[in-house]
Amino acid sequence: MRLFMRRRGEEGPARDAARRLADLVRDTLALEAEATVSVSEISCGDPACGGAETVVLVMRPGRRTQAAKVLMPMGQVTPEALLAALEPLGAVGADTAKSLSPTGDQG
């Protein structure tokens, strides 16, 4: 599995959050092993995102790179927020929502 993060040498919560989100992206979109997921936190000028937003890039061989944004800092991204951002990128349905829920429930 390939994983790129904005701050490669950084340890701790940001790195853990990026890895957690990348794993969720991989599972949600059922990505092949050759696909690459990049999770970055960047500054955001929109007041709705609280100063930082999370950008997810999905790079698959032979296809255009796909991007998803979540208007919140990486450490605050919930599985539900990530799921909503990924919906335009591929097959994300009720079964996926249920599997991403911490309790296994949809609601």
Side-chain angles (χ1 to χ4, degrees):
M1 170 175 84
R2 294 183 212 157
L3 170 68
F4 294 116
M5 289 171 282
R6 187 168 173 236
R7 301 175 198 143
R8 292 180 184 224
E10 183 176 309
E11 297 294 328
R15 186 176 185 114
D16 292 343
R19 190 168 310 278
R20 176 183 57 86
L21 294 174
D23 288 344
L24 282 173
V25 170
R26 218 166 246 300
D27 292 343
T28 300
L29 299 178
L31 296 176
E32 61 278 2
E34 296 80 22
T36 301
V37 175
S38 170
V39 179
S40 302
E41 184 177 286
I42 61 172
S43 295
C44 175
D46 185 344
C49 64
E53 67 182 331
T54 301
V55 177
V56 177
L57 300 177
V58 178
M59 298 163 271
R60 301 175 197 181
R63 294 177 65 177
R64 289 185 156 195
T65 298
Q66 295 178 295
K69 281 197 229 182
V70 185
L71 296 179
M72 62 184 70
M74 195 178 339
Q76 295 177 9
V77 175
T78 63
E80 295 79 15
L82 181 62
L83 181 67
L86 293 176
E87 281 186 46
L89 303 189
V92 177
D95 291 339
T96 304
K98 184 175 180 180
S99 70
L100 288 179
S101 172
T103 62
D105 298 330
Q106 286 182 318

